Amino acid sequence: MSSNNEGFKDSETLTAWVRYMLYAQIIVVLVSMASNYFEYQLLLDYQSGNYVSREQAEADGAANDYRQSLVGFLFLIIFAVSGFMILRWIHRANHNARALGANNMRFSPGWSIGFYFIPVLALWKPYQAMKEIWQASKKPSDWESQYTSGIVQLWWLVWLASSFLGYALLRSAMRVEDLQDLINLNIFDQVGCVLSIFLALIFLNIVKRIHNFQTSHLASTHNEMQATPASVG
């Protein structure tokens, strides 16, 4: 068993960036919700015939489309960057759990993120890998006997719900035929935004706790190694 933390990679900066990006996700989702609300009101006005001028209706529609496109682009950039940072963090957390002495882990650092990209297996393998990281970080020397907090299960349930809703929204967007379809799509998109915020908050907690597990274990073993020569002498 490796107990000298050989190969441990500092994760302070990476963990901080993951937190920043998760906060950025929450902010951009809130902006998206506000933009969606304005679009919802516009669609209701269209449906109820509140516009007396076709020109004004078209101008407001064009302004809405521009705003939604801008928010959508910002949304895409933030989620792409944060997704990359999160995957790096998961890879680093798996690596560091091993460096702290966790033996016989079933998921390698590479596969702990690789399963996110494999159809069907992506439904449960990433959860198992995260559960293992939690256990191995909590007590590397006896990780298989460790219980996992319910927050890990909750994270994965919300992740699946958000993913399935996103897929359903994409399919629905391709079949829009009238204003009511657009209104329904807007409402479901708002539900997806709420799930995204909830998911980010849950993952923030997971990142914090796993990071604390690992840094606390690193500090305790470092102190033990420093105290050993004195006790021997």
Side-chain angles (χ1 to χ4, degrees), residues 57-72:
E58 291 178 348
D60 287 353
N64 175 79
D65 290 345
Y66 177 77
R67 185 191 67 250
Q68 288 286 69
S69 296
L70 189 62
V71 172

Side-chain angles (χ1 to χ4, degrees), residues 121-189:
L121 294 180
L123 294 175
W124 75 89
K125 286 294 185 181
Y127 159 72
Q128 291 179 334
M130 183 62 72
K131 178 182 177 182
E132 189 176 73
I133 291 171
W134 179 287
Q135 293 172 296
S137 300
K138 189 174 183 181
K139 190 174 182 181
S141 61
D142 187 28
W143 68 268
E144 292 173 285
S145 68
Q146 300 304 302
Y147 289 102
T148 309
S149 171
I151 198 170
V152 179
Q153 287 90 336
L154 180 61
W155 160 70
W156 193 244
L157 287 174
V158 177
W159 166 268
L160 290 177
S162 180
S163 298
F164 286 134
L165 181 59
Y167 177 74
L169 282 169
L170 182 61
R171 292 289 300 272
S172 298
M174 298 170 63
R175 297 196 301 265
V176 170
E177 295 180 354
D178 53 32
L179 273 176
Q180 188 58 53
D181 287 341
L182 286 173
I183 292 172
N184 293 339
L185 192 65
N186 182 285
I187 294 171
F188 285 118
D189 193 24

